[in-house]
């Protein structure tokens, strides 16, 4: 018997929900990411729950208990219950009637086993009741122990139900798979064979999955498999996975950044292909321009901040096949925290309008080139 523990499970709010459903004669279980992460000793952020109670019963039961209920996906059997400020997403057991690779027509079920069969990976289909005992109908515990990301049942069928599962397979492999064990061969083959289905997905969904994938501690092996299977080219045209592994090596304790990894991969038109926000698209465009120009670290850090300078400097080091400078972080910190000793008033009325702006930029360049050593008097003497 396997049990999980944790503040998320033992909290008054979670246990109160278990008691509420039990007294009403309904089953209620925690399921999915919270159980998986608890077993992997990873942080638990969200609590998803599954029940045999129909959604309208869930809503009525929780409202009678003075809990706030949000019908976030009630047409598909899901409501969000707020208890003590904590959101719980509660979904009725379901079975798929029909799917088109993006949306599913579901029927409510009274069977935990049926509900488990329609989920994506075995490690995501583990259920836990109030006592913390894990219910496993798909051999997910064995896969958790081996850190093996495996589709439930027939991988081709799971992918046909929702083509986004192709990208989720690589994301989960990057986050939870055993890097020494390699990627699951059956899953990889099914993803490659079902890759045409990616064309039917929205660019927003693709972009969201890719950003999550690239934020993993080491996404390089999973992305390399995407490249070898032809999937990377579909979701990131023009990308080359070759620089990603050395980039992760050079990061050496620096926090992961999906934008830095995307910069190393290259790729075309990510703004459209991933539906990036205007802010993210602008940051990526600027980073690409500075990378192409091989802009000095100090200049980038002063004008655009530490994160931008670090991202470009690391990718530049990988591209040049040379480790980053040992004092890179000191260079960045010094430049990002520097304050230019002149202001516009110091140069007026000798310079005005466009000439004033041009002169300030010129003096800033000299000041940066001096390693920020030039004083106000030195600059005015120019």
């Amino acid at each position: 018997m396997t049990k999980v523990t944790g503040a998320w499970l033992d909290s008054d709010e979670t246990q109160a929900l278990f008691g509420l459903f039990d007294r009403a004669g309904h089953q209620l279980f925690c399921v999915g990411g919270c159980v998986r992460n608890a077993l992997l000793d990873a942080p638990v952020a969200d609590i998803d729950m599954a029940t045999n109670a129909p959604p309208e019963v869930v809503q009525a039961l929780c409202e009678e208990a003075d809990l706030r209920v949000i019908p976030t996906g009630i047409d598909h059997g899901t409501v969000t219950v707020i208890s003590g400020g904590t959101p719980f997403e509660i979904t009725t057991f379901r079975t798929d009637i029909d799917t088109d690779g993006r949306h599913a027509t579901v029927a409510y079920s009274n069977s935990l086993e049926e509900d488990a069969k329609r989920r994506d990976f075995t490690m995501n289909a583990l259920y836990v009741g109030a006592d913390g005992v894990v219910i496993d109908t798909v051999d997910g515990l064995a896969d958790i122990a081996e850190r093996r990301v495996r589709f439930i049942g027939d991988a081709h069928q799971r992918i046909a139900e929702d083509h986004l599962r192709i990208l989720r397979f690589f994301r989960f492999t990057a986050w939870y798979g055993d890097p020494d064990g390699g990627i699951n061969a059956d899953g990889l083959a099914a993803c490659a064979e079902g890759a045409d289905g990616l064309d039917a997905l929205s660019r927003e969904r693709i972009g969201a999955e890719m950003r999550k994938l690239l934020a993993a501690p080491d996404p390089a092996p999973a992305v390399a498999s995407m490249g070898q299977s032809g999937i990377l080219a579909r979701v990131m045209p023009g990308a080359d996975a070759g620089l990603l592994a050395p980039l992760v090596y050079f990061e050496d304790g620096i926090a992961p950044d999906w934008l830095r990894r995307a910069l190393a991969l290259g790729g075309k038109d990510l703004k459209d292909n991933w539906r990036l926000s205007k802010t993210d698209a602008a940051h990526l465009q600027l980073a690409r321009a500075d990378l192409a120009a091989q802009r000095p670290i100090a200049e980038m850090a002063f004008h655009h901040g530490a994160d931008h300078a670090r991202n470009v400097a690391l990718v530049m080091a990988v591209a040049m096949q040379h480790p980053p400078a040992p004092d890179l972080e000191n260079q960045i910190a010094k430049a990002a925290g520097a304050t230019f000793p002149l202001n516009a008033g110091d140069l007026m009325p000798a310079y005005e309008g466009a000439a004033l702006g041009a002169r300030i930029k010129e003096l800033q360049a000299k000041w940066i080139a001096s390693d920020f050593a030039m004083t106000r008097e030195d600059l005015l003497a120019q």
Side-chain angles (χ1 to χ4, degrees), residues 76-125:
H76 299 283
T78 301
V79 299
T80 299
V81 177
I82 310 297
S83 177
T86 300
F88 296 83
E89 193 170 275
I90 303 178
T91 303
T92 303
F93 291 159
R94 299 178 295 183
T95 184
D96 289 337
I97 301 300
D98 186 39
T99 61
D100 63 3
R102 288 179 296 173
H103 310 290
T105 301
V106 300
Y108 301 134
S109 170
N110 196 46
S111 168
L112 179 150
E113 290 78 7
E114 288 295 325
D115 189 69
K117 287 179 181 178
R118 69 174 300 277
R119 296 178 180 270
D120 50 10
F121 310 117
T122 57
M123 63 171 56
N124 289 340

Side-chain angles (χ1 to χ4, degrees), residues 280-321:
D280 285 341
H283 286 166
L284 185 58
Q285 182 179 9
L286 178 63
R288 284 179 167 175
D290 283 352
L291 179 63
Q294 297 187 21
R295 199 83 64 198
I297 294 170
E299 183 180 333
M300 292 188 293
F302 173 72
H303 287 295
H304 305 297
D307 290 342
H308 173 83
R310 181 181 301 108
N311 287 348
V312 177
L314 287 171
V315 176
M316 194 182 302
V318 172
M320 298 176 67
Q321 301 183 353

Side-chain angles (χ1 to χ4, degrees), residues 5 23 52 111 121 126 179 183 193 226 229 233 248 262 276 299 305 316 339 359-360 377:
T5 59
R23 289 189 298 272
N52 63 344
S111 168
F121 310 117
L126 301 172
I183 197 164
E193 292 171 21
M226 291 178 71
S229 60
V248 173
L276 295 180
E299 183 180 333
M316 194 182 302
T339 301
R359 184 58 175 160
I360 288 176
E377 290 70 25

Side-chain angles (χ1 to χ4, degrees), residues 47-381:
I47 304 177
D48 292 340
M49 308 184 92
T51 179
N52 63 344
E56 61 274 11
V57 173
V58 174
Q59 184 168 1
L61 188 63
C62 293
E63 287 177 345
E64 288 173 6
D66 293 327
L67 298 175
R68 184 186 174 198
V69 179
I70 305 170
T72 45
I74 197 164
D75 291 342
H76 299 283
T78 301
V79 299
T80 299
V81 177
I82 310 297
S83 177
T86 300
F88 296 83
E89 193 170 275
I90 303 178
T91 303
T92 303
F93 291 159
R94 299 178 295 183
T95 184
D96 289 337
I97 301 300
D98 186 39
T99 61
D100 63 3
R102 288 179 296 173
H103 310 290
T105 301
V106 300
Y108 301 134
S109 170
N110 196 46
S111 168
L112 179 150
E113 290 78 7
E114 288 295 325
D115 189 69
K117 287 179 181 178
R118 69 174 300 277
R119 296 178 180 270
D120 50 10
F121 310 117
T122 57
M123 63 171 56
N124 289 340
L126 301 172
Y127 299 72
V128 165
D131 58 1
V133 174
V134 178
I135 300 173
D136 176 16
T137 64
V138 294
D139 292 329
L141 284 171
D143 289 333
I144 285 275
E146 297 295 327
R147 298 185 75 94
R148 180 171 50 231
V149 179
R150 183 171 62 88
F151 284 101
I152 295 171
D154 183 77
H156 295 85
Q157 184 177 345
R158 296 288 82 75
I159 289 171
E161 292 164 353
D162 184 354
H163 299 305
L164 191 67
R165 286 173 173 171
I166 293 173
L167 300 184
R168 285 172 60 84
F169 174 73
F170 294 103
R171 170 164 70 91
F172 276 75
T173 297
W175 277 97
Y176 306 114
D178 177 9
D180 296 327
I183 197 164
N184 180 263
D186 291 339
L188 180 61
C191 288
E193 292 171 21
D196 286 347
L198 292 169
D199 297 338
L201 296 177
S202 72
R203 303 300 96 179
E204 289 87 351
R205 295 182 82 192
I206 289 174
E209 280 297 322
M210 289 301 295
R211 292 195 297 274
K212 291 175 184 177
L213 164 60
L214 293 180
D218 183 4
V223 173
S225 294
M226 291 178 71
Q228 293 161 3
S229 60
I231 291 170
L232 183 63
R234 286 181 175 270
V235 297
M236 201 175 185
D240 182 350
L243 296 184
L244 190 54
L247 172 63
V248 173
Y249 178 79
F250 280 171
E251 287 173 347
D252 189 24
I254 296 172
D257 186 329
W258 72 263
L259 192 146
R260 182 193 310 135
R261 276 90 179 264
L263 180 64
L265 289 169
K268 303 174 183 176
D269 303 322
L270 287 193
K271 182 179 186 298
D272 294 326
N273 287 328
W274 290 6
R275 290 292 191 271
L276 295 180
S277 68
K278 290 182 179 179
T279 299
D280 285 341
H283 286 166
L284 185 58
Q285 182 179 9
L286 178 63
R288 284 179 167 175
D290 283 352
L291 179 63
Q294 297 187 21
R295 199 83 64 198
I297 294 170
E299 183 180 333
M300 292 188 293
F302 173 72
H303 287 295
H304 305 297
D307 290 342
H308 173 83
R310 181 181 301 108
N311 287 348
V312 177
L314 287 171
V315 176
M316 194 182 302
V318 172
M320 298 176 67
Q321 301 183 353
H322 190 282
D327 63 341
L328 174 64
E329 288 301 319
N330 290 335
Q331 290 184 48
I332 291 173
K334 181 178 181 179
T339 301
F340 187 53
L342 292 185
N343 57 51
D346 293 325
L347 303 179
M348 298 171 64
Y351 295 90
E352 294 182 348
L356 175 60
R359 184 58 175 160
I360 288 176
K361 287 184 179 179
E362 182 182 353
L363 291 175
Q364 276 186 347
K366 291 184 177 183
W367 172 68
I368 293 171
S370 76
D371 195 27
F372 311 102
M374 293 180 73
T375 65
R376 180 175 180 276
E377 290 70 25
D378 293 335
L379 291 167
L380 288 175

